[in-house]
Amino acid sequence: MKLRVNHKQLQFLSREETSGNFQKEGTLRVGRQERGLTERFCRLRGNLLFILNKQGGKLEEVLLLERCEVMKLPGDDTRLAVSFDSGDPPVFLQSSISSECASWLVVLTNANTDSLKRRIIHLHTLINTHTTSQKQHTHVASHCAEVGTSLGDVGAAGEAESAAKVSPQHLRVCVVAAAARVQLQVRVIDTHTHSVRNHCCCRMKEASDGVFVTSVCFRGDYPLYHHSRIKVTVYHEEERSFLGFTSFSIRDLLKSKEPHISLSLRTMDAVNEVGEVKVSCLQMEGESEHQTPPEHKCPELCDSLHGSVHDKENSPMMRAVLCAQVCKVYRFQTEDKRWLLVREHMSETPLSFSLPKQLLSTLIHEHTSRVQEVKNLGDLSPHWDGLRHDVINHCNHLIGCYQETLSELDKLSASSCFKSSSSKSDIHLQFVPTNLHCQRMEVTGPDSTGVWYEVITFGAPADHHQAFKHGGLKRLLSKHAQSRYSSISYSEDESSRARELLSSVAQLQPLVFGLAEELLSVSLEQNFARLQQVLDGLIQQTKLFVHALKDELVKSALLAIHNQCAENYNSSHVHSNGLLCDNMLANQEGETSSGQQDPGRQDAEYDEEEWDRAWANVAKSLNCIIVMSDRLQGREERPQDLTPSEQQEATGDSNSQNTAFSSSSSATSWQEQLLPLVVTLRDCVREAVCKARAAMTFVVLQGAVAFSVAQGPTQIVHRRHAVFSQGLSAVVCGFMLKLYGGLEDPEFLQQLLSVGVLVQFESLLSTYGDEVGMLEDMEVAVADLSSVAFTILEAKTEQLDDLLPTLSGAWGSFVVVVPLPQETFRSLPQEVKEGRLIQVHPALFNIGINQQQSLAERFGDSSLQERVNQQSCERLRVYCQTLRERLPHMAGIQSLSDLLSSLNRCVETKKRKNVEVLWIAATVCRQVNGVRLTSCKSAKDRTAMSVTLEQCVLLRERHTLSQQHFSTALDCMRRDGCRMENVQKNVGNRKFAFSGVQLLTFPKLYRPPDGSFG
């Protein structure tokens, strides 16, 4: 509430010298968003909450605690929310401990006049109850004396009745007011505990001119009692301005003999009447043995309700994945004339932004490390230095782009969870999925409760900023398949071994050279003990040196260098630094791979034993020094420390050397006899180091090229990362919801560990125009997701930030870590708690349904769609086959064969707009506990048709929805359901973007009802 105030007066009221007048003061974290709270010092005086930047500091804000509600956030004992009837943004408060939070809750709740009025009413009730009980005391006491019943028993029974829940309740609310469109907010006040719960907020349906109707549902486990009061607040929908409010007691509603109770809708000052509110009870079948009076029945088959979310849905786990939920509740009739209660939920997810930001940070770090890695290779030959320059330029360009994108994402509000379809071409939102939502349906029937079905909806992962003039990723990558960089792919493990070997050689070579020099110096002293000590050190370091070089990776890399030189002989190209290089001199030392061959003999056969001789020569030269040292010391040859094979190879050479030396040290000095042997050792070590360094530099450089330049131009790599990011966010959201729903199912958890999780993408893109490029982008994104794995660990705390998934690893081997609360994690099987990886198995099925697909089928080409569906059908078959082999007793596993056969026939059938492919693929996915995702261009119109159809088909096939009411239910969900809210939030109006002519080309079941499009 905005008031005209004197700032100096407020400053005076907030000062410490007036602290005796404060009801409470202390440090709290304060903010207008649920995340990103800032530490502030707060003081409560009367109904004013003073917020200072620090104790004794500057006054930043004053909250007037009137016409507001203070409540504790579900699932968090340290957070409070202050919401205002005026429609101003709520204020979130967080204390350090739960006891302090409870203390603030009490004082803030009692600070406003509404709370004072409720307490006065409560005291009146107690006084009246006490007076009545006093009047009846004499009669009751005498009666109890005869039958042995005490007055205390009567009181206890009364309390039990008052505390008994009256839920479930289904209320019909009718508002009569002069407004174009209205929204309804419902709060529940517990007059005993003085607590307030936000129940729901929904748009009301206009039944006639100035009359608006909706229904409010309270589940069976909702804390609703006779003493509860319902506060109804009505707003103008367009400007979200306050219209009026009223309240009523549940006890009065249930005791009313009239079909409904009538209440006055009053202004904020509770003086003027601005309308009327009528509330009546609806009764669902099975809630009472008696039939509902005709006047209390809803006249419509599909009554559009608006219900609250189950307490479990408000758990920290769910709030970490879902936000900004919209809920619609319906009643549908089954074949046996009974009723289904269907709740349709649509939620945004914080993962829309959190995962892309993590991916960008990981890619920046990965490319930065790659740049540093190739810079550390030291001086290189011109050709290899040109390759290094290409890698550095490529990586630096991507690093700059990604840092700019990450910086722009960080500027967005911490509560941002949604990218609208109108922003899909925004350059700074390329990594964010378009219109990502989780669509869920909960079905409660006469014989079942709380059956959930989920599907993730998002715009097809595609790079709309770069557009599709030259096609999508699949086409672009195929054009660059024969890249000028004919790099050899080395695994990350091999690149790591190469870096370790380079590091080892760089450390050991100076040690060997230093000990060899020291051996010559000590020989001048002719000190046997000192000479032996230095010789032992030389033997140890040389042995380590030879062991490091005996790696098959070096040998294979030298062969690869030779082969690449032969392939590229007499070829050349210009590097990014402008240097024109001849590829025949590809060796690091400016020579061919053999080291001594003539450059013109590139076609000569490579000697594979050359490298073995190189490190063996080191061993032989060391053995000569050992033999000479023993002769100088007047001893016979001793057993060597070298391996038997090394001794055998060194024997012949050492014997020939022995004949050249004098048998006594008196003829010449020790140093003169050791010097040529040491020089030989150093030459052999230097030769081996040159070859090993060239080979390992080749491995490191080729690995860097393979993961950067060889992937294509930076625009293609950027595009690939962006579409992967969009798909990753959607898959992680779907997996976490699937995991949360199956935590108590050991068979499902065993399936995840044994086979992995199936992720089935349903696409409705056409194969005509720009949507061909979108489908090509999506195909590559889905394929790249097969390299992703999940693992589960225990969360540090139950704070929202600690329950968000985190991304680790590198491109091609990402691991998504899903944290679970401590209590939930400890109840999991040991195999899951050990952190085993859960593999992702993606499959993409596409069937175009719009008018563009009609053009493609008649005049264009739909081979892309056919190929994608055939490949995915095979992937699905392989997954199901593996599942049958590893979990043969899994429920429903036997029916998969028939479904897969039907799917294969549909894929092979040349039928236009064969949407049966999508239906069967979805059925198989649900049968094997897979994650379902549905996409079109922006997940707004065609996706809405698909999702609502799937929901109604599930109701018909699994919950016996009456066939004659199937179309009515479908139209109801499309006209008034969550997907219409999705259209509203994307484009600002409540119409699907179809024309009547376009819909003539759609399959019949994908056409919206009249009046819902245009």
Side-chain angles (χ1 to χ4, degrees):
M1 180 184 296
K2 296 181 180 179
L3 300 175
R4 295 174 63 87
V5 294
N6 187 305
H7 185 70
K8 292 184 179 179
Q9 180 67 17
L10 290 177
Q11 288 273 26
F12 172 76
L13 293 175
S14 66
R15 289 176 186 167
E16 293 185 7
E17 54 264 28
T18 64
S19 60
N21 297 319
F22 295 138
Q23 281 76 35
K24 188 171 179 61
E25 60 182 356
T27 302
L28 295 173
R29 296 178 65 82
V30 184
R32 295 282 180 177
Q33 302 289 343
E34 195 169 347
R35 292 185 176 84
L37 304 182
T38 308
E39 189 171 284
R40 294 291 182 262
F41 189 77
C42 301
R43 288 187 171 126
L44 179 66
R45 180 172 185 172
N47 61 353
L48 297 178
L49 180 64
F50 297 95
I51 301 175
L52 297 84
N53 60 354
K54 60 181 180 179
Q55 186 172 4
K58 181 181 177 181
L59 178 65
E60 290 191 346
E61 189 176 1
V62 181
L63 296 182
L64 177 62
L65 300 176
E66 292 297 334
R67 301 294 180 189
C68 65
E69 304 292 351
V70 184
M71 66 199 76
K72 187 182 293 186
L73 292 181
D76 192 338
D77 292 335
T78 63
R79 289 198 176 201
L80 303 175
V82 183
S83 59
F84 300 91
D85 291 347
S86 62
D88 290 342
V91 176
F92 296 95
L93 309 172
Q94 182 179 14
S95 61
S96 56
I97 55 177
S98 57
S99 58
E100 184 71 7
C101 179
S103 175
W104 275 103
L105 176 62
V106 173
V107 295
L108 291 175
T109 303
N110 295 334
N112 59 61
T113 54
D114 285 347
S115 175
L116 180 61
K117 290 177 182 178
R118 289 197 297 269
R119 292 164 64 193
I120 293 173
I121 293 172
H122 180 59
L123 289 174
H124 275 300
T125 304
L126 292 177
I127 293 171
N128 293 335
T129 303
H130 179 70
T131 304
T132 304
S133 62
Q134 287 291 341
K135 291 180 180 178
Q136 297 176 349
H137 176 71
T138 306
H139 175 71
V140 172
S142 61
H143 179 69
C144 288
E146 295 177 2
V147 298
T149 305
S150 68
L151 182 61
D153 295 332
V154 176
E159 291 179 5
E161 179 184 357
S162 176
K165 290 183 180 179
V166 296
S167 52
Q169 290 292 331
H170 306 279
L171 309 182
R172 183 178 179 83
V173 181
C174 176
V175 174
V176 181
R181 290 180 179 177
V182 298
Q183 276 191 329
L184 186 76
Q185 184 181 54
V186 178
R187 293 189 176 100
V188 180
I189 304 169
D190 191 321
T191 58
H192 284 187
T193 62
H194 307 291
S195 62
V196 182
R197 292 172 66 104
N198 267 341
H199 184 61
C200 67
C201 182
C202 66
R203 183 182 67 86
M204 300 191 72
K205 182 179 178 180
E206 188 171 10
S208 60
D209 191 20
V211 179
F212 303 89
V213 180
T214 191
S215 295
V216 179
C217 173
F218 296 92
R219 297 171 60 105
D221 54 357
Y222 192 88
L224 192 69
Y225 308 97
H226 284 88
H227 61 261
S228 300
R229 290 190 67 82
I230 306 298
K231 182 177 180 180
V232 178
T233 309
V234 182
Y235 298 91
H236 291 282
E237 185 180 13
E238 290 82 359
E239 60 268 20
R240 194 71 171 87
S241 60
F242 179 83
L243 180 60
F245 79 98
T246 189
S247 65
F248 61 92
S249 166
I250 289 293
R251 180 183 286 106
D252 295 341
L253 177 65
L254 297 178
K255 287 183 178 181
S256 174
K257 296 180 180 180
E258 300 296 325
H260 61 263
I261 59 173
S262 297
L263 307 164
S264 297
L265 190 65
R266 296 185 176 274
T267 55
M268 190 174 293
D269 56 11
V271 176
N272 300 320
E273 293 186 12
V274 292
E276 183 182 13
V277 177
K278 297 179 180 179
V279 183
S280 58
C281 286
L282 298 173
Q283 196 166 30
M284 298 293 291
E285 182 173 343
E287 294 175 4
S288 174
E289 296 179 357
H290 305 288
Q291 292 295 322
T292 307
E295 63 270 24
H296 281 230
K297 279 193 175 181
C298 177
E300 300 176 1
L301 168 70
C302 304
D303 181 35
S304 180
L305 303 165
H306 201 293
S308 67
V309 181
H310 191 278
D311 285 344
K312 184 178 180 181
E313 298 301 296
N314 271 329
S315 67
M317 284 194 309
M318 298 302 291
R319 287 192 290 120
V321 184
L322 306 178
C323 61
Q325 296 196 41
V326 175
C327 177
K328 301 287 184 178
V329 186
Y330 315 92
R331 288 191 307 148
F332 297 131
Q333 199 172 38
T334 63
E335 292 177 348
D336 55 358
K337 305 301 181 184
R338 304 172 79 182
W339 291 92
L340 293 173
L341 184 66
V342 180
R343 290 181 175 85
E344 184 189 25
H345 298 260
M346 185 186 69
S347 313
E348 298 173 10
T349 172
L351 306 184
S352 290
F353 282 79
S354 70
L355 277 173
K357 289 198 284 189
Q358 289 185 59
L359 178 62
L360 284 165
S361 298
T362 303
L363 291 174
I364 291 171
H365 179 266
E366 181 180 342
H367 284 85
T368 303
S369 300
R370 187 164 292 125
V371 168
Q372 190 59 44
E373 177 183 292
V374 296
K375 284 183 176 179
N376 291 340
L377 292 177
D379 295 334
L380 301 176
S381 65
H383 174 76
W384 284 14
D385 189 56
L387 279 181
R388 173 166 62 182
H389 198 277
D390 293 344
V391 171
I392 293 175
N393 271 3
H394 188 280
C395 292
N396 282 340
H397 183 274
L398 291 176
I399 290 170
C401 293
Y402 294 168
Q403 285 177 336
E404 181 183 355
T405 301
L406 184 59
S407 175
E408 292 297 324
L409 291 180
D410 286 336
K411 292 178 183 178
L412 298 176
S413 169
S415 62
S416 296
C417 297
F418 171 65
K419 170 187 170 183
S420 68
S421 61
S422 59
S423 302
K424 58 179 174 283
S425 299
D426 191 324
I427 185 174
H428 296 127
L429 298 178
Q430 284 175 284
F431 281 71
V432 180
T434 302
N435 195 17
L436 173 59
H437 285 84
C438 176
Q439 180 86 18
R440 298 183 300 151
M441 180 176 69
E442 182 190 18
V443 183
T444 302
D447 304 318
S448 62
T449 57
V451 181
W452 286 92
Y453 303 96
E454 296 120 1
V455 59
I456 306 300
T457 65
F458 71 118
D463 192 338
H464 292 272
H465 174 72
Q466 292 192 35
F468 312 97
K469 181 179 180 180
H470 302 290
L473 266 175
K474 191 69 176 179
R475 196 185 318 173
L476 294 172
L477 288 172
S478 65
K479 289 179 181 178
H480 292 275
Q482 302 298 326
S483 173
R484 64 183 183 183
Y485 297 99
S486 55
S487 63
I488 300 173
S489 179
Y490 287 98
S491 67
E492 185 61 33
D493 179 61
E494 290 174 324
S495 296
S496 177
R497 281 165 52 198
R499 289 192 294 270
E500 291 175 3
L501 198 148
L502 283 172
S503 176
S504 298
V505 168
Q507 293 176 3
L508 291 171
Q509 182 185 9
L511 291 176
V512 172
F513 284 4
L515 288 168
E517 290 294 333
E518 188 176 357
L519 185 68
L520 291 176
S521 300
V522 171
S523 66
L524 292 174
E525 303 173 6
Q526 297 188 356
N527 185 327
F528 291 147
R530 177 66 177 148
L531 183 67
Q532 188 61 45
Q533 181 182 3
V534 175
L535 181 61
D536 289 341
L538 179 62
I539 292 171
Q540 181 183 3
Q541 296 301 326
T542 307
K543 190 176 179 181
L544 292 174
F545 178 80
V546 172
H547 178 73
L549 294 182
K550 290 172 61 178
D551 193 318
E552 284 297 319
L553 181 61
V554 181
K555 191 174 182 178
S556 64
L558 289 171
L559 177 60
I561 292 174
H562 174 83
N563 293 337
Q564 191 177 76
C565 288
E567 291 173 4
N568 298 330
Y569 180 61
N570 281 340
S571 67
S572 62
H573 82 268
V574 180
H575 292 285
S576 59
N577 59 357
L579 178 66
L580 177 64
C581 288
D582 191 340
N583 288 341
M584 76 176 184
L585 299 178
N587 190 284
Q588 160 63 6
E589 300 303 314
E591 301 173 350
T592 59
S593 58
S594 65
Q596 302 297 328
Q597 293 178 5
D598 180 78
R601 298 180 58 199
Q602 292 295 331
D603 57 343
E605 185 177 353
Y606 176 68
D607 185 1
E608 296 186 8
E609 302 299 325
E610 181 183 356
W611 170 242
D612 292 334
R613 288 195 296 270
W615 61 261
N617 285 339
V618 176
K620 291 177 183 179
S621 58
L622 176 65
N623 193 65
C624 292
I625 292 175
I626 295 171
V627 172
M628 176 55 67
S629 177
D630 286 342
R631 286 175 177 266
L632 292 174
Q633 297 179 61
R635 293 182 297 180
E636 296 297 327
E637 289 190 26
R638 58 180 176 172
Q640 303 302 316
D641 293 331
L642 301 177
T643 63
S645 63
E646 292 166 356
Q647 290 183 28
Q648 185 177 0
E649 292 173 348
T651 300
D653 190 68
S654 63
N655 288 337
S656 63
Q657 293 284 347
N658 290 341
T659 61
F661 302 135
S662 173
S663 59
S664 71
S665 60
S666 58
T668 56
S669 70
W670 288 12
Q671 188 183 53
E672 289 177 350
Q673 297 192 47
L674 286 173
L675 179 60
L677 303 180
V678 169
V679 171
T680 301
L681 174 66
R682 293 180 61 178
D683 290 343
C684 293
V685 168
R686 189 177 291 109
E687 180 186 2
V689 167
C690 286
K691 292 183 179 296
R693 184 176 292 156
M696 294 303 94
T697 300
F698 178 80
V699 172
V700 173
L701 194 56
Q702 289 297 306
V705 169
F707 283 98
S708 57
V709 181
Q711 297 292 323
T714 53
Q715 294 88 345
I716 293 181
V717 177
H718 191 161
R719 187 185 196 113
R720 189 170 189 174
H721 290 166
V723 299
F724 172 81
S725 173
Q726 297 173 30
L728 180 67
S729 299
V731 169
V732 173
C733 178
F735 174 79
M736 293 181 70
L737 291 175
K738 183 64 67 175
L739 176 66
Y740 293 165
L743 286 173
E744 298 177 0
D745 184 355
E747 191 176 69
F748 169 69
L749 296 175
Q750 185 59 43
Q751 176 189 347
L752 292 181
L753 296 176
S754 302
V755 191
V757 60
L758 176 68
V759 178
Q760 188 247 321
F761 291 82
E762 174 184 309
S763 170
L764 300 167
L765 295 171
S766 68
T767 55
Y768 189 87
D770 284 351
E771 292 195 7
V772 176
M774 297 176 203
L775 184 56
E776 290 174 341
D777 276 3
M778 188 175 186
E779 182 184 4
V780 175
V782 171
D784 286 340
L785 287 168
S786 60
S787 63
V788 175
F790 290 95
T791 188
I792 300 170
L793 56 65
E794 183 178 352
K796 297 177 182 178
T797 69
E798 292 193 10
Q799 298 293 324
L800 293 183
D801 291 341
D802 289 331
L803 292 174
L804 285 172
T806 55
L807 192 65
S808 62
W811 179 259
S813 58
F814 284 118
V815 175
V816 180
V817 181
V818 179
L820 293 179
Q822 185 180 79
E823 184 179 348
T824 304
F825 181 81
R826 292 182 179 177
S827 66
L828 295 175
Q830 185 60 33
E831 290 177 302
V832 180
K833 291 192 287 187
E834 289 173 354
R836 286 180 54 184
L837 295 181
I838 300 169
Q839 295 299 325
V840 173
H841 300 274
L844 167 63
F845 290 89
N846 183 86
I847 297 292
I849 63 171
N850 64 359
Q851 74 282 1
Q852 300 279 23
Q853 185 62 27
S854 298
L855 294 174
E857 290 171 345
R858 293 178 183 273
F859 311 110
D861 181 16
S862 59
S863 59
L864 172 61
Q865 175 176 284
E866 294 170 5
R867 176 175 54 80
V868 166
N869 291 342
Q870 288 170 355
Q871 291 175 351
S872 294
C873 188
E874 178 61 21
R875 292 194 194 102
L876 210 56
R877 187 194 64 78
V878 171
Y879 179 86
C880 293
Q881 179 64 31
T882 307
L883 188 61
R884 276 195 297 262
E885 293 172 355
R886 298 184 182 178
L887 297 173
H889 304 296
M890 178 178 169
I893 198 75
Q894 304 303 326
S895 62
L896 288 178
S897 297
D898 294 339
L899 286 171
L900 290 172
S901 298
S902 299
L903 178 61
N904 189 62
R905 285 194 301 271
C906 286
V907 169
E908 296 295 334
T909 301
K910 302 296 182 181
K911 180 182 176 181
R912 293 176 179 173
K913 300 184 180 178
N914 191 5
V915 290
E916 192 175 353
V917 170
L918 304 179
W919 302 345
I920 300 176
T923 303
V924 173
C925 179
R926 294 197 184 279
Q927 196 82 6
V928 297
N929 303 310
V931 177
R932 285 268 300 117
L933 302 101
T934 299
S935 298
C936 61
K937 182 177 180 179
S938 59
K940 179 172 58 69
D941 304 306
R942 282 170 281 177
T943 296
M945 301 300 104
S946 175
V947 167
T948 50
L949 175 61
E950 182 176 1
Q951 290 178 167
C952 288
V953 168
L954 287 169
L955 292 175
R956 181 182 63 190
E957 296 182 352
R958 300 194 181 188
H959 300 279
T960 65
L961 174 67
S962 172
Q963 180 61 40
Q964 65 185 20
H965 296 138
F966 176 85
S967 297
T968 309
L970 188 59
D971 288 348
C972 180
M973 284 188 175
R974 289 173 175 173
R975 183 184 293 109
D976 300 310
C978 292
R979 300 313 301 188
M980 187 60 79
E981 303 296 331
N982 183 272
V983 175
Q984 171 77 35
K985 72 193 297 186
N986 273 281
V987 296
N989 63 61
R990 304 179 67 81
K991 297 283 187 180
F992 294 114
F994 302 131
S995 69
V997 175
Q998 289 174 341
L999 290 177
L1000 293 176
T1001 65
F1002 277 49
K1004 289 184 179 180
L1005 289 176
Y1006 288 81
R1007 299 175 185 176
D1010 292 340
S1012 64
F1013 60 89

